[in-house]
Amino acid sequence: HFQTSSPEDDKAAAIISLNFIVPKKEINMVPDMGKWKRSQAYADYIGFILTLNEAVKGKKLTCEYKVSETVEKLLSLLNTLDRWIDETPPMDQPSRFGNKAFRTWYAKLEQEAEALVSTVIPSSVRAAAPEIAVYLKESVGNSTRIDYGTGHEAAFAAFLCCLCKIGALRVDDQLAIIFKVFDRYLQVMRKLQKTYRMEPAGSQGVWGLDDFQFLPFIWGSSQLIDHPTLEPRHFVEEKIVNEHHQDYMFLECIKFINEMKTGPFAEHSNQLWNISAVPTWSKVNQGLIRMYKAECLEKFPVIQHFKFGSLLPIQPVKP
């Protein structure tokens, strides 16, 4: 997933021969799920998630790492999306949830996505912009239903995976991809969810892990592996969360839940409460990866929306 060779141009030359295509849906019925699990896209996607899971193991958000020009450009893209939220205040409307101003905000992204992506990728692979922009547009929620869920989050991971495939992001960007780019993406998504009172997409209610996200719990639990003092049982203590959230993505997620939900933690977040009883972070991490595959990647209602192109192809993995 990560190209190591430099300079940019010999790699780009190899990529240029790729015919970029606008990604489209391929999983239309439940029996198509086998096609997805055998696909190059699935192998690359899960490989990307697990590579990053290894990269962040035992590391704090505040640790030292390289921040490349592409990462800076991605941050400025996310800052633009954030600024548009400020410029698009929620409307007065009778229903509390699903504020229709989200559609205005989304229309702006739809219009600008390709141009935004063009600013991030090398000019030699500018032809990839329409393909990659699709994943960016899919990553912020659904404008008809005004909802957001793990399928949208997956589209953002796919967006980052594509940027690695064209060589815009590299192996030595791994920490920055999670700690800078993905963390900023989460901040913007939380602001969208709060501002426009977005509905959780396909939420399993109290039985799901979280109304909106999943990946930061995986990567966040990896960060905490072998931590000298913090154990899984500690994250249900608000004092500990408030003390350590700026270092650990997992605790940032818990902090957001605590701000958004009322009542006993065991009631509003039953799955997480159960996870706090697991003895080690390593076990939590492995369990969450299994759960992610089962609850997100192998669920038709989530995967039916996933789009496939030349960078994340539906074709089966070559033997």
Side-chain angles (χ1 to χ4, degrees):
H1 324 287
F2 287 95
Q3 314 224 0
T4 31
S5 77
S6 159
E8 222 156 59
D9 300 323
D10 46 335
K11 187 179 335 137
I15 295 163
I16 237 118
S17 61
L18 257 182
N19 290 319
F20 296 109
I21 53 181
V22 175
K24 61 184 206 317
K25 294 182 185 186
E26 300 278 0
I27 309 302
N28 301 310
M29 300 178 302
V30 175
D32 295 337
M33 288 297 285
K35 207 160 62 164
W36 152 243
K37 280 188 263 185
R38 288 188 296 274
S39 72
Q40 190 61 53
Y42 181 87
D44 289 349
Y45 180 84
I46 199 71
F48 181 69
I49 301 301
L50 296 177
T51 300
L52 292 168
N53 189 60
E54 276 307 301
V56 300
K57 197 171 273 184
K59 300 207 164 63
K60 293 181 175 185
L61 288 170
T62 49
C63 76
E64 295 272 309
Y65 49 83
K66 175 192 154 225
V67 178
S68 65
E69 198 187 336
T70 303
V71 168
E72 294 288 9
K73 288 172 176 170
L74 281 165
L75 294 173
S76 101
L77 181 157
L78 290 165
N79 289 340
T80 300
L81 302 190
D82 192 347
R83 193 180 72 245
W84 290 347
I85 302 174
D86 297 333
E87 292 167 5
T88 319
M91 292 160 46
D92 280 333
Q93 60 174 51
S95 77
R96 239 176 89 214
F97 288 98
N99 194 283
K100 291 185 176 61
F102 175 72
R103 293 180 182 148
T104 309
W105 179 89
Y106 185 84
K108 199 166 220 173
L109 173 62
E110 207 157 33
Q111 203 185 331
E112 301 290 332
E114 231 169 278
L116 287 171
V117 171
S118 294
T119 64
V120 172
I121 61 180
S123 52
S124 51
V125 284
R126 202 50 47 91
E131 177 164 342
I132 297 176
V134 167
Y135 296 104
L136 179 64
K137 287 183 275 195
E138 297 276 318
S139 74
V140 297
N142 180 289
S143 68
T144 310
R145 296 186 303 273
I146 314 182
D147 66 5
Y148 176 96
T150 48
H152 302 111
E153 178 189 76
F156 192 74
F159 167 70
L160 296 172
C161 183
C162 289
L163 292 174
C164 294
K165 289 195 138 198
I166 62 163
L169 291 168
R170 299 163 185 270
V171 180
D172 55 3
D173 289 318
Q174 287 178 357
L175 284 179
I177 287 172
I178 305 272
F179 291 173
K180 276 259 185 274
V181 182
F182 194 79
D183 197 57
R184 184 73 184 104
Y185 164 75
L186 281 179
Q187 291 167 6
V188 178
M189 291 309 104
R190 287 173 186 142
K191 185 163 166 177
L192 277 178
Q193 291 153 13
K194 256 180 160 160
T195 306
Y196 303 120
R197 300 301 300 269
M198 296 178 79
E199 301 267 19
S203 162
Q204 298 152 314
V206 72
W207 302 111
L209 184 67
D210 176 76
D211 280 344
F212 298 112
Q213 315 297 155
F214 204 117
L215 291 173
F217 292 95
I218 295 179
W219 295 327
S221 59
S222 180
Q223 284 184 276
L224 285 154
I225 289 173
D226 295 333
H227 191 284
T229 56
L230 291 177
E231 292 170 31
R233 63 190 173 91
H234 290 126
F235 75 73
V236 293
E237 299 174 27
E238 217 158 315
K239 178 175 167 290
I240 289 197
V241 171
N242 292 338
E243 258 166 55
H244 296 279
H245 71 92
Q246 57 275 67
D247 284 326
Y248 297 105
M249 195 170 259
F250 193 100
L251 302 180
E252 296 232 90
C253 292
I254 302 295
K255 184 171 179 284
F256 184 64
I257 291 172
N258 289 339
E259 285 166 12
M260 298 297 280
K261 306 247 175 184
T262 53
F265 192 88
E267 283 174 28
H268 63 62
S269 303
N270 190 263
Q271 277 283 27
L272 283 167
W273 178 261
N274 292 338
I275 287 168
S276 73
V278 176
T280 67
W281 285 110
S282 170
K283 283 265 190 302
V284 169
N285 186 244
Q286 289 159 12
L288 286 173
I289 290 166
R290 274 199 309 273
M291 186 175 166
Y292 185 61
K293 288 177 179 168
E295 297 301 320
C296 301
L297 301 185
E298 292 173 13
K299 286 281 189 278
F300 175 72
V302 176
I303 296 306
Q304 63 174 333
H305 302 293
F306 198 89
K307 293 184 175 171
F308 301 85
S310 72
L311 296 167
L312 289 168
I314 188 66
Q315 282 71 28
V317 174
K318 294 184 181 65

